[in-house]
Amino acid sequence: MDYGLRGQVAIITGSTSGIGLGLAEALAQQGVNIVLNGLGDRDAIEATRAGLSARNGVEVLYHDADMTQPHRIADLVSSTRNAFGRLDILVNNAGIQHVAPVDEFPVEQWDRIIAINLTSTFHATKAALPPMKAAGRGRVVNIASAHGLVASPFKSAYVAAKHGVIGFTKSAALEVAQQGVTVNAICPGYVKTPLVEAQITDQARARGISEEAVMRDVILAAQPTKQFVTVEQLGGLLLYLVSDAGASVNGAALTVDGGWTAA
Ligand code: NAD
């Protein structure tokens, strides 16, 4: 299926792994040039960059902005504009997790989660909106979470940040609604990525139960389908949102959670 995106340019934050990398692949398959971002081993990132480019016949760049550093986030956006002369799509995806009771939650982990999961979305969107408004078209898609709509225990910083992302999404969407730009949030349920694999270990420790019990009774207990969401399924929604067909979807928090938040 052709979504009419060929030649566009997208930044995906936190795209060296997991959902972000899957979303980059979905966009690249449609002929979108990509700016990857995220942490990791430089050789592995270069192999990822080169593979994405070769598989899809698009240009793929990598920028190492740390999402805790506002000036590096601004540089990510300005470097993209300098390299390609345009910016059509921004996917704010970078995110981390820490699982602990509130009264034991490390302050530095709270600050880091708020910085990466919430505040980086503000900084990147702030930098991306001027060129999008000038072009009369743009798409910002924020990867929130089912935890942007409902809570689970031991995830106070993550839940606060993701609720914040949805609030930010709505406010920004209202500001740009008449300028051809949309701002939306995707709220995935559980996707089996490195972030979730780490949580299985952490949740087992916090709850004092086995990892198998966390998978069965905690993670997939919340998801009525009893199946992990796939990155391909998230990619399908992203492509719709950034295409012309998605032009009237604005300020929305769209769930892809197997029915979790319907309960
Ligand atoms: P992941 O750990 O596989 O990937 C996270 C990405 O963010 C990596 O590329 C990592 O390098 C990058 N990152 C982390 N800290 C960064 C920093 N300081 N600066 C720049 N990049 C940084 O995780 P994932 O599961 O793919 O999660 C991606 C997004 O999806 C997150 O926002 C997460 O909250 C959200 N999400 C995940 C799930 C899930 O079940 N996996 C569910 C709902 C929402």
mmCIF file of all heavy atoms in Angstrom, residues 14-20 37-40 65-68 93-96 112 116-117 143-146 158 162 188-196, ligand 1:
data_model
loop_
_atom_site.group_PDB
_atom_site.id
_atom_site.type_symbol
_atom_site.label_atom_id
_atom_site.label_comp_id
_atom_site.label_asym_id
_atom_site.label_seq_id
_atom_site.Cartn_x
_atom_site.Cartn_y
_atom_site.Cartn_z
ATOM 1 N N GLY A 14 14.918 8.027 19.724
ATOM 2 C CA GLY A 14 14.993 6.693 20.335
ATOM 3 C C GLY A 14 14.724 5.582 19.342
ATOM 4 O O GLY A 14 13.943 4.669 19.615
ATOM 5 N N SER A 15 15.399 5.646 18.190
ATOM 6 C CA SER A 15 15.094 4.671 17.130
ATOM 7 C C SER A 15 16.242 3.706 16.856
ATOM 8 O O SER A 15 16.303 3.105 15.796
ATOM 9 C CB SER A 15 14.682 5.408 15.857
ATOM 10 O OG SER A 15 15.586 6.447 15.560
ATOM 11 N N THR A 16 17.138 3.540 17.830
ATOM 12 C CA THR A 16 18.190 2.536 17.676
ATOM 13 C C THR A 16 17.735 1.168 18.163
ATOM 14 O O THR A 16 18.489 0.198 18.109
ATOM 15 C CB THR A 16 19.459 2.965 18.451
ATOM 16 O OG1 THR A 16 19.084 3.270 19.804
ATOM 17 C CG2 THR A 16 20.103 4.184 17.820
ATOM 18 N N SER A 17 16.490 1.082 18.642
ATOM 19 C CA SER A 17 16.016 -0.183 19.234
ATOM 20 C C SER A 17 14.490 -0.189 19.256
ATOM 21 O O SER A 17 13.844 0.852 19.087
ATOM 22 C CB SER A 17 16.593 -0.257 20.666
ATOM 23 O OG SER A 17 15.827 -1.035 21.531
ATOM 24 N N GLY A 18 13.917 -1.364 19.424
ATOM 25 C CA GLY A 18 12.512 -1.510 19.770
ATOM 26 C C GLY A 18 11.517 -0.831 18.849
ATOM 27 O O GLY A 18 11.601 -0.923 17.614
ATOM 28 N N ILE A 19 10.547 -0.151 19.445
ATOM 29 C CA ILE A 19 9.445 0.453 18.704
ATOM 30 C C ILE A 19 9.957 1.517 17.727
ATOM 31 O O ILE A 19 9.532 1.568 16.572
ATOM 32 C CB ILE A 19 8.418 1.076 19.690
ATOM 33 C CG1 ILE A 19 7.725 -0.047 20.480
ATOM 34 C CG2 ILE A 19 7.390 1.935 18.951
ATOM 35 C CD1 ILE A 19 6.856 0.451 21.636
ATOM 36 N N GLY A 20 10.871 2.359 18.186
ATOM 37 C CA GLY A 20 11.377 3.445 17.330
ATOM 38 C C GLY A 20 12.005 2.907 16.058
ATOM 39 O O GLY A 20 11.772 3.436 14.961
ATOM 40 N N ASN A 37 17.940 8.207 15.849
ATOM 41 C CA ASN A 37 18.515 8.803 17.060
ATOM 42 C C ASN A 37 18.432 7.759 18.174
ATOM 43 O O ASN A 37 17.527 6.926 18.170
ATOM 44 C CB ASN A 37 17.705 10.064 17.446
ATOM 45 C CG ASN A 37 17.868 10.434 18.913
ATOM 46 O OD1 ASN A 37 16.993 10.129 19.731
ATOM 47 N ND2 ASN A 37 18.963 11.050 19.233
ATOM 48 N N GLY A 38 19.346 7.835 19.107
ATOM 49 C CA GLY A 38 19.266 6.932 20.251
ATOM 50 C C GLY A 38 20.640 6.555 20.742
ATOM 51 O O GLY A 38 21.660 6.949 20.162
ATOM 52 N N LEU A 39 20.645 5.785 21.809
ATOM 53 C CA LEU A 39 21.895 5.369 22.427
ATOM 54 C C LEU A 39 22.293 4.002 21.891
ATOM 55 O O LEU A 39 21.494 3.326 21.252
ATOM 56 C CB LEU A 39 21.712 5.292 23.948
ATOM 57 C CG LEU A 39 21.049 6.513 24.617
ATOM 58 C CD1 LEU A 39 20.874 6.262 26.106
ATOM 59 C CD2 LEU A 39 21.857 7.775 24.356
ATOM 60 N N GLY A 40 23.540 3.606 22.184
ATOM 61 C CA GLY A 40 23.974 2.263 21.815
ATOM 62 C C GLY A 40 25.379 2.242 21.250
ATOM 63 O O GLY A 40 26.025 3.286 21.095
ATOM 64 N N ALA A 65 21.858 12.865 19.570
ATOM 65 C CA ALA A 65 21.317 13.724 20.636
ATOM 66 C C ALA A 65 20.845 12.904 21.838
ATOM 67 O O ALA A 65 20.093 11.947 21.683
ATOM 68 C CB ALA A 65 20.159 14.551 20.097
ATOM 69 N N ASP A 66 21.301 13.332 23.015
ATOM 70 C CA ASP A 66 20.817 12.753 24.269
ATOM 71 C C ASP A 66 19.542 13.508 24.640
ATOM 72 O O ASP A 66 19.553 14.733 24.760
ATOM 73 C CB ASP A 66 21.902 12.927 25.339
ATOM 74 C CG ASP A 66 21.501 12.343 26.685
ATOM 75 O OD1 ASP A 66 20.292 12.230 26.971
ATOM 76 O OD2 ASP A 66 22.412 12.022 27.466
ATOM 77 N N MET A 67 18.462 12.781 24.823
ATOM 78 C CA MET A 67 17.150 13.404 25.052
ATOM 79 C C MET A 67 17.027 14.094 26.403
ATOM 80 O O MET A 67 16.003 14.702 26.700
ATOM 81 C CB MET A 67 16.031 12.369 24.902
ATOM 82 C CG MET A 67 15.824 11.895 23.482
ATOM 83 S SD MET A 67 15.250 13.220 22.377
ATOM 84 C CE MET A 67 16.590 13.256 21.201
ATOM 85 N N THR A 68 18.090 14.059 27.212
ATOM 86 C CA THR A 68 18.085 14.862 28.438
ATOM 87 C C THR A 68 18.703 16.238 28.189
ATOM 88 O O THR A 68 18.756 17.057 29.106
ATOM 89 C CB THR A 68 18.874 14.181 29.586
ATOM 90 O OG1 THR A 68 20.262 14.102 29.212
ATOM 91 C CG2 THR A 68 18.345 12.788 29.879
ATOM 92 N N ASN A 93 9.603 9.360 20.387
ATOM 93 C CA ASN A 93 9.476 7.971 20.838
ATOM 94 C C ASN A 93 10.412 7.598 21.987
ATOM 95 O O ASN A 93 10.114 6.665 22.730
ATOM 96 C CB ASN A 93 9.724 7.046 19.637
ATOM 97 C CG ASN A 93 9.925 5.606 20.048
ATOM 98 O OD1 ASN A 93 8.965 4.888 20.319
ATOM 99 N ND2 ASN A 93 11.185 5.179 20.144
ATOM 100 N N ALA A 94 11.538 8.305 22.142
ATOM 101 C CA ALA A 94 12.532 7.879 23.144
ATOM 102 C C ALA A 94 11.865 7.757 24.512
ATOM 103 O O ALA A 94 11.058 8.604 24.905
ATOM 104 C CB ALA A 94 13.680 8.876 23.214
ATOM 105 N N GLY A 95 12.190 6.703 25.212
ATOM 106 C CA GLY A 95 11.595 6.531 26.532
ATOM 107 C C GLY A 95 12.330 5.481 27.332
ATOM 108 O O GLY A 95 12.964 4.582 26.778
ATOM 109 N N ILE A 96 12.267 5.653 28.647
ATOM 110 C CA ILE A 96 12.877 4.686 29.567
ATOM 111 C C ILE A 96 11.869 4.369 30.669
ATOM 112 O O ILE A 96 10.833 5.033 30.785
ATOM 113 C CB ILE A 96 14.193 5.219 30.188
ATOM 114 C CG1 ILE A 96 13.941 6.522 30.957
ATOM 115 C CG2 ILE A 96 15.251 5.414 29.112
ATOM 116 C CD1 ILE A 96 15.091 6.934 31.855
ATOM 117 N N ARG A 112 15.147 11.692 35.424
ATOM 118 C CA ARG A 112 15.570 11.202 34.113
ATOM 119 C C ARG A 112 14.357 10.763 33.275
ATOM 120 O O ARG A 112 14.278 11.048 32.083
ATOM 121 C CB ARG A 112 16.546 10.026 34.329
ATOM 122 C CG ARG A 112 17.360 9.699 33.137
ATOM 123 C CD ARG A 112 18.538 8.790 33.444
ATOM 124 N NE ARG A 112 19.025 8.251 32.186
ATOM 125 C CZ ARG A 112 19.737 8.938 31.303
ATOM 126 N NH1 ARG A 112 20.072 10.179 31.547
ATOM 127 N NH2 ARG A 112 20.118 8.389 30.172
ATOM 128 N N ILE A 116 13.386 12.488 29.715
ATOM 129 C CA ILE A 116 13.414 11.736 28.444
ATOM 130 C C ILE A 116 11.996 11.484 27.936
ATOM 131 O O ILE A 116 11.700 11.693 26.754
ATOM 132 C CB ILE A 116 14.193 10.411 28.626
ATOM 133 C CG1 ILE A 116 15.656 10.704 28.963
ATOM 134 C CG2 ILE A 116 14.082 9.539 27.373
ATOM 135 C CD1 ILE A 116 16.469 9.492 29.390
ATOM 136 N N ASN A 117 11.096 11.049 28.800
ATOM 137 C CA ASN A 117 9.766 10.605 28.341
ATOM 138 C C ASN A 117 8.806 11.766 28.114
ATOM 139 O O ASN A 117 7.864 11.620 27.347
ATOM 140 C CB ASN A 117 9.142 9.651 29.358
ATOM 141 C CG ASN A 117 9.896 8.348 29.503
ATOM 142 O OD1 ASN A 117 11.048 8.238 29.134
ATOM 143 N ND2 ASN A 117 9.253 7.346 30.061
ATOM 144 N N ILE A 143 4.796 8.963 20.990
ATOM 145 C CA ILE A 143 4.545 7.603 21.477
ATOM 146 C C ILE A 143 4.342 7.696 22.990
ATOM 147 O O ILE A 143 5.304 7.804 23.753
ATOM 148 C CB ILE A 143 5.687 6.641 21.096
ATOM 149 C CG1 ILE A 143 5.941 6.678 19.568
ATOM 150 C CG2 ILE A 143 5.319 5.215 21.550
ATOM 151 C CD1 ILE A 143 4.731 6.400 18.672
ATOM 152 N N ALA A 144 3.079 7.712 23.370
ATOM 153 C CA ALA A 144 2.726 7.737 24.807
ATOM 154 C C ALA A 144 2.674 6.291 25.273
ATOM 155 O O ALA A 144 3.644 5.541 25.105
ATOM 156 C CB ALA A 144 1.418 8.478 25.012
ATOM 157 N N SER A 145 1.531 5.873 25.809
ATOM 158 C CA SER A 145 1.404 4.505 26.323
ATOM 159 C C SER A 145 -0.017 4.331 26.836
ATOM 160 O O SER A 145 -0.696 5.319 27.144
ATOM 161 C CB SER A 145 2.386 4.318 27.492
ATOM 162 O OG SER A 145 2.138 3.103 28.174
ATOM 163 N N ALA A 146 -0.448 3.085 26.985
ATOM 164 C CA ALA A 146 -1.672 2.852 27.761
ATOM 165 C C ALA A 146 -1.515 3.492 29.139
ATOM 166 O O ALA A 146 -2.491 3.950 29.743
ATOM 167 C CB ALA A 146 -1.926 1.358 27.882
ATOM 168 N N TYR A 158 6.859 7.078 35.192
ATOM 169 C CA TYR A 158 6.482 6.733 33.811
ATOM 170 C C TYR A 158 5.027 7.120 33.552
ATOM 171 O O TYR A 158 4.696 7.723 32.527
ATOM 172 C CB TYR A 158 6.687 5.227 33.616
ATOM 173 C CG TYR A 158 6.510 4.728 32.202
ATOM 174 C CD1 TYR A 158 7.575 4.698 31.313
ATOM 175 C CD2 TYR A 158 5.273 4.264 31.760
ATOM 176 C CE1 TYR A 158 7.413 4.218 30.021
ATOM 177 C CE2 TYR A 158 5.104 3.790 30.469
ATOM 178 C CZ TYR A 158 6.180 3.766 29.603
ATOM 179 O OH TYR A 158 6.011 3.295 28.319
ATOM 180 N N LYS A 162 3.809 9.925 30.913
ATOM 181 C CA LYS A 162 2.969 9.563 29.756
ATOM 182 C C LYS A 162 1.616 10.281 29.798
ATOM 183 O O LYS A 162 1.083 10.655 28.749
ATOM 184 C CB LYS A 162 2.790 8.049 29.682
ATOM 185 C CG LYS A 162 4.096 7.292 29.389
ATOM 186 C CD LYS A 162 4.710 7.661 28.052
ATOM 187 C CE LYS A 162 5.900 6.779 27.696
ATOM 188 N NZ LYS A 162 6.482 7.110 26.391
ATOM 189 N N PRO A 188 0.477 2.603 22.996
ATOM 190 C CA PRO A 188 0.589 1.145 22.877
ATOM 191 C C PRO A 188 0.349 0.453 24.216
ATOM 192 O O PRO A 188 0.642 1.005 25.276
ATOM 193 C CB PRO A 188 2.051 0.928 22.452
ATOM 194 C CG PRO A 188 2.590 2.278 22.083
ATOM 195 C CD PRO A 188 1.782 3.264 22.861
ATOM 196 N N GLY A 189 -0.172 -0.759 24.130
ATOM 197 C CA GLY A 189 -0.096 -1.669 25.263
ATOM 198 C C GLY A 189 1.293 -2.276 25.276
ATOM 199 O O GLY A 189 2.244 -1.680 24.773
ATOM 200 N N TYR A 190 1.414 -3.479 25.822
ATOM 201 C CA TYR A 190 2.748 -4.072 25.931
ATOM 202 C C TYR A 190 3.262 -4.597 24.590
ATOM 203 O O TYR A 190 2.584 -5.361 23.906
ATOM 204 C CB TYR A 190 2.751 -5.206 26.953
ATOM 205 C CG TYR A 190 2.812 -4.695 28.367
ATOM 206 C CD1 TYR A 190 1.692 -4.688 29.181
ATOM 207 C CD2 TYR A 190 4.005 -4.191 28.881
ATOM 208 C CE1 TYR A 190 1.755 -4.202 30.486
ATOM 209 C CE2 TYR A 190 4.076 -3.697 30.172
ATOM 210 C CZ TYR A 190 2.949 -3.714 30.979
ATOM 211 O OH TYR A 190 3.017 -3.231 32.249
ATOM 212 N N VAL A 191 4.477 -4.157 24.247
ATOM 213 C CA VAL A 191 5.187 -4.607 23.050
ATOM 214 C C VAL A 191 6.465 -5.259 23.568
ATOM 215 O O VAL A 191 7.124 -4.697 24.449
ATOM 216 C CB VAL A 191 5.558 -3.403 22.151
ATOM 217 C CG1 VAL A 191 6.123 -3.881 20.819
ATOM 218 C CG2 VAL A 191 4.375 -2.471 21.958
ATOM 219 N N LYS A 192 6.824 -6.414 23.058
ATOM 220 C CA LYS A 192 7.999 -7.111 23.604
ATOM 221 C C LYS A 192 9.275 -6.511 23.028
ATOM 222 O O LYS A 192 9.766 -6.936 21.983
ATOM 223 C CB LYS A 192 7.901 -8.616 23.334
ATOM 224 C CG LYS A 192 8.670 -9.432 24.344
ATOM 225 C CD LYS A 192 8.093 -10.840 24.466
ATOM 226 C CE LYS A 192 8.756 -11.634 25.562
ATOM 227 N NZ LYS A 192 9.767 -12.566 25.090
ATOM 228 N N THR A 193 9.767 -5.493 23.691
ATOM 229 C CA THR A 193 11.010 -4.825 23.305
ATOM 230 C C THR A 193 11.978 -4.925 24.482
ATOM 231 O O THR A 193 11.568 -5.354 25.572
ATOM 232 C CB THR A 193 10.760 -3.333 23.022
ATOM 233 O OG1 THR A 193 10.364 -2.714 24.255
ATOM 234 C CG2 THR A 193 9.671 -3.121 21.980
ATOM 235 N N PRO A 194 13.235 -4.473 24.298
ATOM 236 C CA PRO A 194 14.178 -4.510 25.426
ATOM 237 C C PRO A 194 13.644 -3.795 26.670
ATOM 238 O O PRO A 194 13.906 -4.213 27.802
ATOM 239 C CB PRO A 194 15.412 -3.790 24.867
ATOM 240 C CG PRO A 194 15.354 -4.073 23.389
ATOM 241 C CD PRO A 194 13.892 -4.081 23.036
ATOM 242 N N LEU A 195 12.838 -2.714 26.463
ATOM 243 C CA LEU A 195 12.298 -1.974 27.609
ATOM 244 C C LEU A 195 11.382 -2.856 28.456
ATOM 245 O O LEU A 195 11.424 -2.831 29.681
ATOM 246 C CB LEU A 195 11.539 -0.735 27.103
ATOM 247 C CG LEU A 195 10.919 0.224 28.114
ATOM 248 C CD1 LEU A 195 11.134 1.669 27.683
ATOM 249 C CD2 LEU A 195 9.442 -0.039 28.266
ATOM 250 N N VAL A 196 10.563 -3.666 27.809
ATOM 251 C CA VAL A 196 9.635 -4.543 28.532
ATOM 252 C C VAL A 196 10.370 -5.741 29.117
ATOM 253 O O VAL A 196 10.079 -6.174 30.236
ATOM 254 C CB VAL A 196 8.485 -4.983 27.597
ATOM 255 C CG1 VAL A 196 7.715 -6.158 28.175
ATOM 256 C CG2 VAL A 196 7.539 -3.814 27.379
HETATM 257 P P1 NAD B 1 13.583 0.417 23.926
HETATM 258 O O1 NAD B 1 14.322 0.419 25.229
HETATM 259 O O2 NAD B 1 13.654 -0.774 23.049
HETATM 260 O O3 NAD B 1 13.999 1.683 23.056
HETATM 261 C C1 NAD B 1 14.132 2.963 23.640
HETATM 262 C C2 NAD B 1 14.911 3.850 22.698
HETATM 263 O O4 NAD B 1 15.115 5.116 23.343
HETATM 264 C C3 NAD B 1 16.309 3.300 22.354
HETATM 265 O O5 NAD B 1 16.642 3.607 21.021
HETATM 266 C C4 NAD B 1 17.203 4.080 23.301
HETATM 267 O O6 NAD B 1 18.542 4.200 22.844
HETATM 268 C C5 NAD B 1 16.497 5.418 23.302
HETATM 269 N N1 NAD B 1 16.886 6.259 24.431
HETATM 270 C C6 NAD B 1 16.868 5.960 25.752
HETATM 271 N N2 NAD B 1 17.378 6.989 26.448
HETATM 272 C C7 NAD B 1 17.708 7.945 25.550
HETATM 273 C C8 NAD B 1 18.309 9.231 25.664
HETATM 274 N N3 NAD B 1 18.655 9.751 26.843
HETATM 275 N N4 NAD B 1 18.508 9.933 24.536
HETATM 276 C C9 NAD B 1 18.191 9.416 23.320
HETATM 277 N N5 NAD B 1 17.639 8.204 23.158
HETATM 278 C C10 NAD B 1 17.413 7.483 24.271
HETATM 279 O O7 NAD B 1 12.079 0.753 24.328
HETATM 280 P P2 NAD B 1 10.697 0.619 23.522
HETATM 281 O O8 NAD B 1 9.886 -0.384 24.217
HETATM 282 O O9 NAD B 1 10.939 0.502 22.085
HETATM 283 O O10 NAD B 1 10.039 2.033 23.861
HETATM 284 C C11 NAD B 1 9.906 3.075 22.921
HETATM 285 C C12 NAD B 1 8.795 4.015 23.377
HETATM 286 O O11 NAD B 1 7.566 3.301 23.428
HETATM 287 C C13 NAD B 1 9.013 4.576 24.782
HETATM 288 O O12 NAD B 1 8.595 5.920 24.840
HETATM 289 C C14 NAD B 1 8.109 3.709 25.630
HETATM 290 O O13 NAD B 1 7.694 4.362 26.803
HETATM 291 C C15 NAD B 1 6.961 3.485 24.670
HETATM 292 N N6 NAD B 1 6.122 2.333 24.980
HETATM 293 C C16 NAD B 1 6.653 1.075 25.016
HETATM 294 C C17 NAD B 1 5.822 0.006 25.308
HETATM 295 C C18 NAD B 1 6.315 -1.405 25.341
HETATM 296 O O14 NAD B 1 5.567 -2.278 25.756
HETATM 297 N N7 NAD B 1 7.523 -1.679 24.880
HETATM 298 C C19 NAD B 1 4.472 0.233 25.585
HETATM 299 C C20 NAD B 1 3.974 1.523 25.555
HETATM 300 C C21 NAD B 1 4.816 2.569 25.249
#
